[in-house]
Amino acid sequence: FSEGSMANFLLWLPLAKDKASAMPTEWRIGTMSQNGDGKVGECLSQSKSLAGVVTTNSTMYVDGPPKFQDGFLDYKVASTHFEADGTTVFKGTYELIMSSKLARCIYGFTSAPVSATVSITSENGEPSTATTQVNEKNGWLTLAAYNFTFSNPTVRVSLSQVKEVKEVKKATISCIKGKKIKKVNAINPKCPSGYRKK
């Protein structure tokens, strides 16, 4: 489940005619053995509780933290293109549940709501059709992609946040010119020409 084992698996796909030899179901639960580099590693090191959960039906996935580059979190998965019958296209699933706090740390976001997109990119860089879901609820960000095809796609997650607009308060000043008094209400109020601040 490392980058090296992923590379080895991909070398065998052409020899297997990109077809599964069997379709067993196996459940495996594990924790990451390392926190990764850069911003992802820094944020994971600060987390004292569960940071997230990944589930996938792929044969292979890189089990370390995602790569964070150019504003995207990238996850690598791989399986044969066909099921064991050699004709049915194998459809992938990928679900990521990430602590909203961790996501905000990685991206440098405030506590304002976060929106996300999930896309699947094939090994040749072409977008792959997939059904995606994004949801943030109770402190968890859930991202999912379903029905994408293998052999070696990248699940790409992009998060964004609408910038918070700070309320700017206006001030009122009184300006005088002889016996005339004029009130000026503005963000940075100034007296008009010929008037002075009272």
Side-chain angles (χ1 to χ4, degrees), residues 164-198:
E164 293 179 280
V165 179
K166 292 182 180 176
E167 188 179 330
V168 180
K169 294 190 177 185
K170 292 182 178 180
T172 302
I173 60 171
S174 295
C175 302
I176 58 170
K177 180 180 180 183
K179 292 187 176 183
K180 292 183 182 178
I181 298 175
K182 190 178 246 188
K183 292 195 181 281
V184 178
N185 183 271
I187 295 169
N188 291 317
K190 292 181 181 173
C191 290
S193 179
Y195 284 78
R196 63 179 174 81
K197 191 173 175 182
K198 184 176 177 184

Side-chain angles (χ1 to χ4, degrees), residues 55-75:
T55 64
T56 181
N57 69 343
S58 64
T59 306
M60 290 291 300
Y61 62 95
V62 176
D63 69 350
K67 301 281 187 257
F68 181 59
Q69 190 172 351
D70 300 325
F72 293 100
L73 287 172
D74 286 347
Y75 299 82

Side-chain angles (χ1 to χ4, degrees), residues 154-168:
T154 297
V155 179
R156 177 161 275 189
V157 176
S158 172
L159 273 64
S160 59
Q161 185 175 53
V162 176
K163 290 185 178 173
E164 293 179 280
V165 179
K166 292 182 180 176
E167 188 179 330
V168 180

Side-chain angles (χ1 to χ4, degrees), residues 10-44:
L10 295 173
L11 287 173
W12 284 98
L13 285 182
L15 296 171
K17 297 184 172 69
D18 216 359
K19 177 184 93 159
S21 58
M23 298 292 291
T25 298
E26 177 182 320
W27 288 88
R28 178 178 297 186
I29 298 173
T31 60
M32 290 190 317
S33 57
Q34 42 95 10
N35 284 339
D37 302 321
K39 193 68 175 168
V40 175
E42 180 185 313
C43 293
L44 281 170

